[in-house]
């Protein structure tokens, strides 16, 4: 892989966000118009306690480059 | 459950549409499996916006609804009601956040539109797995407890009691009154505290 | 106060604390601890013979902030509601040493109970209003430059309230605590603990500007020949008629000096304040007879523990957290629990009353319905898969899961087995129980495994 190609690579990052804190914080980042890379895709969960490790593995299995679990 | 999804993409004035190509998102949505109808509208939460959703449900025979607009923390309840008014179970609905978590945080039109399409695809996939949910009810004990017998506690207790409900006022000290009883006259009227 | 005690719909439980709360909106179960009063209030008429005859007379009166004395058997203050006394166990010689018993002998209704014990009672309520109030910032612990509380004539504004009150220890005459002298000059220092990131709190306590204006006015009103100085950072008069009231204080002759006091020290029987006038740009030294500190409002002692017991959050300063500062100012994150007054944040009396009425309206709104709808996005159990292992039960933070016996029919006839059951009213739909289930018998409606997997798959195309 050349350096140029590497630059063009966009990671696929899946975020599992607790509705009450992280998801709300992501909304707050939005209300304040704070920019961040567009590679992030947020899945809303009712609580980080809901997170089954299998879901994280599923994401990797399906080709996610990174998983962020936050709550 | 029949798969007849309707996707509604909100412009939110220019809040979403200035960054996300909502027409393109709606067009993309129409090609997703299960989707039979998609459209955009300037303000989906407004009365005409909600009417649009209600009419589409009836005219297109929709069974599932996805609305791509602001955060579900903002308008999920609003849209659940609209969906219910359209004649389907309010839980056959998913909301996709393309404002707080897309148009407001990603200035690049191409990237933001791509993300919006990804999120709509996510919403459609989820809503196809939704099942109707029923709301149950619980009884309410019509008696209130007020903890603290100072100005705030006494006022709240009196107001609730005056409205005809029972109140139990719990105070840590042997007398109610709180700090107020220690005060002399109070500003700006200089009437006595007790 | 009397209106509260006499209202047929209000049950007053004083000298009591909330020790346990369970349940949920519409259906709370609260355990209240009634502390031992040692007096049967049903029999007591509040005649006062007991506290007149009580020989333990030299106890510092908390109500007068130590500036007056009281007896062991006492009412909190003369106009107390209910107007009945309690015995303070630590200072009663009958309860500590077994000697005395005078109050029992003189009581005309035989209401004294030396064997009284604290009692627990359970109450079912549908809503809870938190109105636990505030305490004053302990300035003695941090403000060394003001003497760590060792100068008797450096007092707080609440002390000053007692000194100007006609019911107070001086009968309403402004006299300084050390020698009872009527002061020729009084200095007021604002923002002691408020707006002070290094030693106190970062917030403004909101009421101090106005009550200090009142105090400065009262000094000039009661002692026209005296001086009253107010040392301030800003004068904040954001309220109806507040600016006018401040002007009235200035017109009466209160001297406002913009500057922080950097040190207080005694000189003879006077106190010297080292400060500066930042408007004139010069250092100042002012000699006064008495100093009054407008100390910050802080959450009431025990408020944090109470928040934990009931299960809602406090903010960075320990005040109760409202659900939304603008849209849900009297609600908390726990449905059915509301906040009123200074427990939510510093505020003055008009704002406190307004907020209390707002909280009352929320309660009445809740009570206007016979039943309320519950969120359907909760855990469900597939009992055909549940092995009854019970691993999920202790994980639930809301105690919504329990094991129950069910009857089933097998090849060898009927038998019973354990399965888990969800209490739909207690379940908040967090889903923390799901990962604990080894047989995948639990699922969360609205956020099912199938739904989340579908989302993951859709994003990872």
């Amino acid at each position: 892989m050349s350096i140029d190609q590497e630059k063009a690579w966009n990671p696929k990052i899946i975020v599992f966000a607790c509705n009450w804190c992280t998801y709300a914080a992501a909304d707050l980042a939005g209300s304040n118009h704070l920019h961040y890379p567009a590679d992030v895709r947020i899945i809303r969960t009712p609580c980080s306690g809901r997170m089954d490790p299998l879901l994280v593995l599923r994401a990797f299995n399906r080709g996610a480059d990174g998983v962020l679990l936050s709550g | 459950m029949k798969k007849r999804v309707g996707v509604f993409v909100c412009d939110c004035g220019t809040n979403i549409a200035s960054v996300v190509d909502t027409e393109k998102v709606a067009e993309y949505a129409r090609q997703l499996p299960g989707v039979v109808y998609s459209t955009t509208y300037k303000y989906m939460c407004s009365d005409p916006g909600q009417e649009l959703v209600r009419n589409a449900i009836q005219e297109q025979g929709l069974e599932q609804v996805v609305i791509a607009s602001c955060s579900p923390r903002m308008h999920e309840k609003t849209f659940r009601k609209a969906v219910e008014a359209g004649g389907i179970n309010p839980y056959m609905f998913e909301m996709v956040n393309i404002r707080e978590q897309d148009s407001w945080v990603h200035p690049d039109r191409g990237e933001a539109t791509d993300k919006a399409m990804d999120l709509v695809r996510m919403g459609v996939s989820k809503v196809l797995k939704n099942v109707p949910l029923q709301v149950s009810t619980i009884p309410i004990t019509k008696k209130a407890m007020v903890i603290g017998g100072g100005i705030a506690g006494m006022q709240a207790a009196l107001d609730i009691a005056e409205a005809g409900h029972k109140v139990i006022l719990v105070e840590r000290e042997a007398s109610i009154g709180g700090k107020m009883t220690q005060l002399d006259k109070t500003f700006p009227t200089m009437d006595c505290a007790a | 106060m009397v209106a509260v005690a006499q209202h047929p719909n209000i049950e007053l439980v004083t000298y009591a604390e909330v020790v346990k709360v369970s349940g949920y909106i519409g259906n709370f179960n609260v355990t209240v601890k009634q502390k031992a009063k040692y007096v049967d209030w049903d029999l007591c008429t509040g005649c006062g013979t007991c506290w007149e005859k009580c020989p333990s007379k030299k106890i510092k009166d908390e109500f007068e902030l130590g500036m007056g004395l009281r007896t062991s058997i006492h009412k909190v203050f003369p106009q107390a509601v209910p107007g009945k006394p309690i015995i303070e166990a630590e200072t009663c010689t009958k309860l500590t040493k077994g000697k005395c018993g005078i109050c029992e002998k003189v009581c005309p209704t035989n209401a004294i109970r030396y064997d009284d014990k604290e009692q627990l009672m359970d109450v079912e309520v549908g809503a809870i209003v938190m109105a636990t109030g505030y305490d004053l910032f302990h300035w003695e612990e941090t403000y060394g430059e003001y003497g760590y509380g060792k100068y008797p004539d450096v007092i707080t504004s609440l002390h000053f309230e007692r000194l100007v009150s006609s019911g107070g220890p001086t009968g309403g005459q402004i006299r300084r605590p050390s020698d009872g002298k009527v002061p020729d000059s009084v200095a007021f220092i604002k923002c002691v603990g408020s707006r002070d990131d290094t030693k106190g709190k970062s917030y403004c306590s909101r009421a101090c500007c106005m009550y200090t204006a009142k105090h400065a006015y009262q000094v000039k009103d009661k002692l026209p020949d005296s001086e009253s100085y107010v040392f301030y950072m800003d004068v904040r008069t954001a309220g109806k008629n507040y600016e006018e009231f401040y002007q009235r204080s200035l017109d009466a002759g209160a001297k406002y000096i913009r500057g922080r006091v950097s040190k207080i020290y005694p000189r003879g029987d006077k106190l010297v304040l080292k400060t500066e006038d930042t408007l004139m740009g010069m250092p100042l030294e002012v000699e006064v007879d008495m100093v009054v500190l407008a100390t910050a409002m802080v959450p009431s002692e025990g408020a944090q523990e109470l928040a934990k017991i009931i299960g809602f959050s406090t903010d960075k300063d320990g005040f109760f957290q409202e659900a939304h500062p603008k849209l849900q100012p009297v609600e908390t994150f726990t449905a059915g629990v509301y906040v009123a007054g200074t427990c939510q944040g510093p505020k003055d009396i008009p704002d406190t009353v307004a907020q209390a009425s707002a909280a009352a309206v929320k309660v009445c709104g809740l009570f206007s319905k016979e039943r309320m709808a519950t969120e359907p996005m909760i855990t469900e159990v597939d009992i055909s898969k549940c092995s009854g292992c019970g691993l999920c039960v202790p994980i639930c933070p809301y105690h919504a899961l329990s094991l129950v016996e069910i009857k089933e029919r097998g090849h060898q006839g009927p038998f019973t087995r354990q399965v888990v059951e969800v209490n739909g009213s207690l379940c908040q739909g967090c889903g923390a129980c799901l990962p604990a289930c080894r047989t995948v018998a639990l699922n969360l409606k609205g956020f099912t495994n199938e739904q989340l997997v579908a989302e993951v798959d859709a994003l990872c195309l």
Side-chain angles (χ1 to χ4, degrees):
Chain A
M1 191 183 279
S2 76
I3 291 169
D4 282 351
Q5 277 175 315
E6 235 175 282
K7 260 189 185 169
W9 176 71
N10 289 322
K12 197 180 285 287
I13 296 169
I14 306 294
V15 181
F16 292 100
C18 161
N19 178 50
W20 305 104
C21 53
T22 308
Y23 197 89
D27 279 355
L28 193 61
S31 324
N32 289 321
H33 297 255
L34 302 174
H35 294 166
Y36 56 85
D39 311 315
V40 178
R41 304 282 183 270
I42 297 179
I43 296 177
R44 187 162 69 125
T45 64
C47 168
S48 44
R50 158 77 185 88
M51 275 309 297
D52 201 308
L54 288 172
L55 283 166
V56 178
L57 296 177
R58 178 83 173 197
F60 282 127
N61 184 284
R62 291 286 161 138
D65 297 299
V67 174
L68 176 64
L69 174 56
S70 178
Chain B
M1 185 66 57
K2 276 188 285 183
K3 290 179 182 177
R4 289 190 68 80
V5 185
V7 178
F8 300 82
V9 186
C10 179
D11 290 346
C12 194
T14 55
N15 276 307
I16 293 170
S18 67
V19 187
V20 173
D21 185 344
T22 49
E23 286 297 340
K24 192 179 170 191
V25 175
E27 205 170 299
Y28 170 78
R30 221 165 296 148
Q31 291 148 24
L32 291 169
V35 177
V36 295
Y37 176 80
S38 77
T39 188
T40 63
Y41 188 69
K42 200 167 250 327
Y43 290 106
M44 213 54 90
C45 60
S46 66
D47 272 344
Q50 293 187 44
E51 198 183 323
L52 179 79
V53 176
R54 287 198 299 271
N55 291 341
I57 292 172
Q58 278 153 12
E59 285 160 17
Q60 308 289 331
L62 303 179
E63 297 283 344
Q64 296 91 357
V65 170
V66 171
I67 297 178
S69 56
C70 52
S71 171
R73 294 174 58 86
M74 183 102 184
H75 273 314
E76 194 171 50
K77 279 188 183 154
T78 315
F79 291 134
R80 275 206 209 291
K81 276 187 194 150
V83 168
E84 191 173 23
I88 56 176
N89 184 281
Y91 293 89
M92 297 306 285
F93 155 71
E94 285 298 323
M95 202 164 164
V96 173
N97 187 341
I98 58 166
R99 190 178 78 171
E100 280 87 344
Q101 297 182 9
D102 191 9
S103 73
W104 278 355
V105 288
H106 307 312
D108 185 277
R109 194 169 174 86
E111 283 182 347
T113 305
D114 281 351
K115 181 169 177 177
M117 292 192 292
D118 273 9
L119 293 176
V120 165
R121 189 171 69 240
M122 173 182 88
V124 170
S125 303
K126 185 180 183 191
V127 84
L128 288 170
K129 304 280 181 192
N130 281 21
V131 291
L133 300 178
Q134 303 308 330
V135 174
S136 61
T137 61
I138 48 170
I140 296 167
T141 308
K142 292 190 184 183
K143 180 177 183 182
M145 172 171 285
V146 176
I147 305 176
I151 297 178
M154 291 192 298
Q155 181 71 41
L158 276 174
D159 285 350
I160 298 168
E162 276 298 308
H165 302 295
K166 294 280 177 200
V167 182
I168 174 163
L169 178 60
V170 181
E171 165 58 47
R172 178 160 62 182
E173 301 297 331
S175 169
I176 54 168
K179 291 270 188 302
M180 181 196 75
T181 56
Q182 287 170 289
L183 307 182
D184 184 39
K185 297 164 180 169
T186 57
F187 67 83
T189 46
M190 295 300 263
D191 41 11
C192 86
Chain C
M1 280 164 69
V2 180
V4 174
Q6 291 177 345
H7 202 290
N9 279 345
I10 300 179
E11 181 189 346
L12 206 52
V13 183
T14 61
Y15 211 48
E17 285 172 17
V18 168
V19 291
K20 191 169 162 243
V21 176
S22 60
Y24 45 90
I25 181 168
N27 301 274
F28 291 105
N29 194 316
V30 187
T31 308
V32 178
K33 181 176 82 181
Q34 170 70 66
K35 294 181 271 190
K37 296 185 286 224
Y38 303 103
V39 179
D40 185 339
W41 280 11
D42 290 335
L43 296 175
C44 173
T45 59
C47 69
T49 318
C50 54
W51 64 78
E52 274 162 26
K53 305 283 184 200
C54 177
S56 305
K57 288 185 192 301
K58 297 208 169 158
I59 303 157
K60 281 199 171 171
D61 191 345
E62 301 83 5
F63 184 78
E64 303 295 357
L65 302 157
M67 295 188 297
L69 298 174
R70 63 163 172 84
T71 48
S72 177
I73 186 166
H74 69 290
K75 287 202 291 185
V76 183
F77 60 103
Q79 295 78 29
V81 176
K84 297 179 182 180
I86 53 165
I87 297 178
E88 185 186 47
E90 299 84 56
T91 52
C92 170
T93 48
K94 175 73 182 176
L95 288 168
T96 51
K97 297 174 191 151
K99 289 177 202 157
C100 184
I102 289 176
C103 50
E104 187 178 32
K105 279 177 213 138
V106 299
C107 179
T109 59
N110 296 317
I112 306 294
R113 299 279 179 274
Y114 294 121
D115 59 351
D116 195 12
K117 295 259 177 339
E118 66 179 39
Q119 284 166 13
L120 295 178
M121 54 179 178
D122 286 328
V123 194
E124 304 266 332
V125 295
I128 299 174
V129 178
M130 305 300 299
T132 52
Y134 71 98
D135 273 339
L136 290 179
F137 175 73
H138 291 290
W139 69 276
E140 300 92 339
E141 288 159 17
T142 43
Y143 279 82
E145 64 266 44
Y146 300 165
Y148 287 121
K150 71 176 181 238
Y151 309 132
D153 295 328
V154 179
I155 60 174
T156 71
S157 300
L158 200 57
H159 288 84
F160 189 82
E161 288 284 349
R162 296 313 302 147
L163 292 180
V164 282
S165 169
S166 54
T170 56
Q173 284 184 310
I174 302 174
R175 292 175 179 280
R176 62 183 201 179
S178 63
D179 53 7
K181 177 183 170 232
V182 175
D184 295 326
S185 52
V186 182
F188 296 91
I189 303 177
K190 294 206 284 189
C191 296
V192 178
S194 308
R195 304 175 69 201
D196 186 346
D197 274 327
T198 49
K199 292 188 166 178
K201 308 292 177 183
S202 50
Y203 55 80
C204 163
S205 289
R206 288 187 60 191
C208 336
C209 276
M210 290 308 295
Y211 68 61
T212 300
K214 182 196 77 170
H215 291 166
Y217 173 82
Q218 283 178 309
V219 169
K220 295 302 286 185
D221 184 45
K222 292 206 172 192
L223 311 167
D225 297 329
S226 70
E227 289 292 352
S228 98
Y229 303 98
V230 179
F231 296 93
Y232 69 98
M233 287 202 275
D234 292 292
V235 179
R236 296 180 167 181
T237 57
K240 200 169 174 175
N241 288 326
Y242 285 14
E243 180 65 18
E244 292 89 329
F245 187 87
Y246 162 55
Q247 286 299 334
R248 186 170 151 197
S249 181
L250 288 179
D251 293 345
K255 290 194 173 66
Y256 273 67
I257 300 166
R258 189 175 184 278
R260 292 289 281 169
V261 175
S262 61
K263 192 155 183 63
I264 300 173
Y265 57 93
R267 181 185 290 158
D269 73 337
K270 298 215 173 240
L271 290 160
V272 182
L273 277 66
K274 279 185 95 72
T275 179
E276 64 171 332
D277 185 330
T278 56
L279 296 181
M280 301 287 281
M282 58 187 226
L284 271 185
E285 210 181 81
V286 182
E287 218 177 60
V288 295
D289 283 325
M290 186 163 94
V291 180
V292 180
L293 309 177
T295 44
M297 283 189 204
V298 294
S300 179
E301 202 189 317
Q304 199 112 26
E305 290 72 39
L306 197 56
K308 257 185 218 154
I309 289 171
I310 300 176
F312 62 92
S313 45
T314 53
D315 65 17
K316 68 176 172 39
D317 297 302
F319 289 108
F320 296 157
Q321 182 71 51
E322 68 281 359
H324 188 286
K326 280 179 259 180
L327 303 175
Q328 294 173 292
V330 298
E331 282 116 313
T332 65
F333 287 116
T334 301
V337 179
Y338 306 92
V339 287
T342 49
C343 62
Q344 179 262 337
K347 57 180 63 67
D348 58 20
I349 295 173
D351 284 3
T352 294
V353 172
Q355 201 185 19
S357 290
V361 165
K362 288 285 170 188
V363 171
C364 293
L366 174 68
F367 288 178
S368 67
K369 289 167 273 190
E370 292 304 322
R371 299 178 71 84
M372 62 174 296
T374 58
E375 183 56 57
M377 289 194 182
I378 55 170
T379 295
E380 60 179 347
V381 190
D382 181 347
I383 54 166
S384 68
K385 288 186 192 164
C386 180
S387 67
C389 70
L391 280 176
C392 54
V393 175
I395 284 172
C396 179
Y398 309 103
H399 309 293
L401 299 173
S402 55
L403 289 170
V404 291
E405 297 258 311
I406 56 162
K407 282 203 177 82
E408 283 194 347
R409 199 170 276 279
H411 293 299
Q412 270 87 42
F415 64 95
T416 61
R417 67 177 181 107
Q418 265 193 339
V419 291
V420 79
E421 189 181 64
V422 182
N423 179 328
S425 308
L426 289 174
C427 177
Q428 300 289 308
C430 75
C433 48
L434 268 67
C437 183
R438 298 188 290 193
T439 56
V440 206
L442 298 177
N443 219 341
L444 181 61
K445 289 191 262 184
F447 291 95
T448 59
N449 293 323
E450 298 73 29
Q451 285 172 308
L452 290 183
V453 165
E455 286 188 292
V456 170
D457 288 357
L459 287 180
C460 295
L461 264 187

